[in-house]
Amino acid sequence: MATLILGRRPASLFSSINRTSNSLRIRNGLPIQWQRYLQSSTTPKPPASDFAFAFDIDGVLLRSSSALPNARRTLSYLQAQRIPFILLTNGGGKSEAERVHDISKSLDIPLNTDMFVQSHTPFAELVHGDETGADAFGDKCVLVLGGEKDSCRRVAEGYGFTNVLTPSDLITAHPSLMPFAHPSHYAPYARPLPSPHLSPRIYHSSHTYLKIDAIFIFNDPRDWALDAQILLDLLLSHAGYLGSLSPLNGNPSLPNNGYQQDAQPPLFFSNPDLWWAAAYQLPRLGQGGFREAFEGIWRAVTGGASLEKRMFGKPFQSTFAFAERKLIRHRKMLLGDGRTKIGMEGLRTVYMVGDNPESDILGANQFESEEGVEWKGVLVRSGVFGGGEVVHRPEAVVDDVLEAVEWALRREGRGVDDR
């Protein structure tokens, strides 16, 4: 029976972890040193579990880049017991490899990209689209918003998008797009546009004009004014030709009064979170804050038209489905040492441990697994949620990640030693 020690650590296991923590390498989802230890130890190999965990990061494992108490210890225990888990965050702005490296360093624990999903990770599936070819934007001209400098452009290119623009490119080439912006600030991260010409207000096809085929909000925008202005221009344009204005806008005979009815580029948001737990003692506005602000501008400009958009990130079905597929693959690698049929049919329960009732808990509560896996939300008080009543009720409310795992282990019949 597995035992999670609160005060003391079993010398045979945890001393081995501590001695090797700075030099651990991963193979098949496990530290190589732990594999050797588990293979050579006389202690029986932990049994394969039919449950797993999904952990939010900010407010659960980290605050800014600093590890929260008990985070490293909890994940180390799960890895040693071969209990599968993934990190499922609405954060982003860097490549998965960069984020995993940073998190591993902060927690002083080995992790890999097989066990990691951030807000824009599912965007990679939009490079080639679905089996019919719909939503395939890999070779289209896409605009990427958010993140530091041109980091999100590099992430998008890493996914396979081949023609990626940023607001820096646009404002550097056409400074009059936003009168209050300072193009010199953006010039170091700008690239030449595929077409330098902007469409006239009334589009005509006598020239090759810059056309945007899709807009992706990869991460929290840093310059809300510039990004909102460009976003507004494109959603009011004809077919994504920047500088044009659709003649269908405001037509009451059309759906949505004609807005976004003229082949404007589809809009994808990666993170709905209004708040997130940063270094400051109070939660800070996230990408959801930018979206709410832009929707207010959109309603004012259009007279109340709805904003057509597609949402990714927690709590949405698409992100939880993507995460579950990744968790199943990770579990197969972790437990697939000669066993057969270890995978989707073997996973019964996933415990979603998070600090945000509106994303972590709501997402777990409403997710409908195609594989019949039951997701259960466990809410911690170490981040956005500090106490009080919640609309989306979790299975348990605890102080931190260690207590969350303890609660789940008790529920699964695993032993927990309070000493």
Side-chain angles (χ1 to χ4, degrees):
M1 181 174 292
T3 302
L4 182 55
I5 304 296
L6 296 181
R8 300 191 306 270
R9 299 173 178 176
S12 60
L13 176 60
F14 284 99
S15 59
S16 173
I17 293 172
N18 290 333
R19 284 196 303 270
T20 60
S21 62
N22 293 323
S23 60
L24 291 173
R25 291 179 294 128
I26 287 289
R27 181 183 296 151
N28 295 330
L30 268 179
I32 292 173
Q33 290 90 334
W34 288 4
Q35 292 177 3
R36 292 170 181 164
Y37 172 80
L38 291 171
Q39 291 166 358
S40 62
S41 173
T42 58
T43 303
K45 186 178 295 185
S49 66
D50 59 359
F51 64 94
F53 290 89
F55 296 104
D56 184 28
I57 296 175
D58 295 307
V60 176
L61 303 175
L62 302 176
R63 182 174 287 275
S64 189
S65 60
S66 299
L68 288 170
N70 295 318
R72 175 184 178 275
R73 179 178 166 197
T74 302
L75 297 190
S76 295
Y77 174 83
L78 294 176
Q79 285 185 324
Q81 292 295 316
R82 304 203 314 165
I83 298 174
F85 67 85
I86 59 169
L87 307 184
L88 176 55
T89 175
N90 272 352
K94 297 181 179 180
S95 72
E96 284 71 16
E98 287 179 284
R99 285 295 308 278
V100 166
H101 176 270
D102 293 345
I103 296 165
S104 295
K105 184 177 180 181
S106 296
L107 292 174
D108 190 24
I109 187 173
L111 302 166
N112 63 49
T113 56
D114 293 331
M115 55 205 301
F116 181 73
V117 178
Q118 55 186 345
S119 64
H120 47 69
T121 305
F123 283 173
E125 294 189 335
L126 298 178
V127 171
H128 302 294
D130 61 22
E131 60 274 7
T132 69
D135 286 338
F137 298 103
D139 60 351
K140 302 294 182 65
C141 183
V142 302
L143 178 68
V144 165
L145 274 64
E148 294 285 348
K149 301 177 181 179
D150 65 343
S151 60
C152 287
R153 187 209 310 264
R154 290 184 277 110
V155 174
E157 291 173 339
Y159 289 165
F161 294 98
T162 59
N163 192 2
V164 183
L165 302 184
T166 69
S168 295
D169 305 335
L170 299 176
I171 193 64
T172 300
H174 299 281
S176 61
L177 273 172
M178 183 63 186
F180 305 119
H182 299 283
S184 61
H185 174 74
Y186 302 96
Y189 321 111
R191 297 180 188 174
L193 298 178
S195 173
H197 304 288
L198 298 188
S199 170
R201 178 185 175 97
I202 300 176
Y203 171 81
H204 57 80
S205 58
S206 62
H207 206 293
T208 302
Y209 298 115
L210 179 65
K211 182 178 186 298
I212 305 297
D213 297 301
I215 306 166
F216 292 92
I217 318 294
F218 263 64
N219 193 233
D220 302 12
R222 274 31 177 197
D223 188 336
W224 285 26
L226 175 62
D227 289 3
Q229 183 66 74
I230 293 173
L231 187 54
L232 184 65
D233 287 344
L234 288 170
L235 296 181
L236 294 174
S237 72
H238 163 70
Y241 287 98
L242 190 61
S244 69
L245 192 65
S246 171
L248 305 185
N249 294 337
N251 187 332
S253 67
L254 296 175
N256 207 29
N257 281 336
Y259 292 102
Q260 292 180 281
Q261 306 300 307
D262 194 13
Q264 285 90 352
L267 173 61
F268 300 89
F269 284 91
S270 67
N271 175 6
D273 287 353
L274 182 63
W275 302 108
W276 68 289
Y280 192 64
Q281 65 263 29
L282 299 177
R284 302 290 82 189
L285 287 171
Q287 188 184 135
F290 172 79
R291 178 179 56 81
E292 292 286 353
F294 181 77
E295 292 206 42
I297 295 171
W298 179 255
R299 287 191 298 270
V301 168
T302 63
S306 63
L307 178 67
E308 296 180 5
K309 59 193 179 295
R310 287 180 59 182
M311 300 293 299
F312 286 77
K314 298 175 292 184
F316 296 103
Q317 173 78 17
S318 58
T319 289
F320 274 82
F322 181 93
E324 183 175 89
R325 292 193 296 270
K326 194 150 196 173
L327 177 56
I328 287 169
R329 291 194 297 269
H330 173 63
R331 183 173 183 268
K332 284 183 177 180
M333 289 190 297
L334 184 66
L335 303 178
D337 51 349
R339 294 182 174 90
T340 59
K341 296 184 180 180
I342 290 290
M344 61 183 67
E345 68 274 24
L347 183 60
R348 176 178 51 82
T349 305
V350 176
Y351 295 97
M352 176 72 239
V353 180
D355 69 316
N356 192 331
E358 298 298 325
S359 58
D360 303 311
I361 305 308
L362 174 59
N365 288 352
Q366 69 182 10
F367 176 54
E368 297 179 0
S369 170
E370 294 184 356
E371 312 300 341
V373 179
E374 186 177 20
W375 284 63
K376 295 185 175 296
V378 183
L379 183 61
V380 297
R381 300 185 183 93
S382 53
V384 169
F385 176 73
E389 292 297 319
V390 292
V391 175
H392 311 294
R393 300 200 63 81
E395 294 288 327
V397 179
V398 296
D399 284 338
D400 64 8
V401 65
L402 178 61
E403 289 190 10
V405 169
E406 287 181 326
W407 176 86
L409 291 176
R410 288 192 183 97
R411 188 178 182 277
E412 294 294 333
R414 299 288 187 103
V416 178
D417 185 349
D418 291 333
R419 298 300 297 171

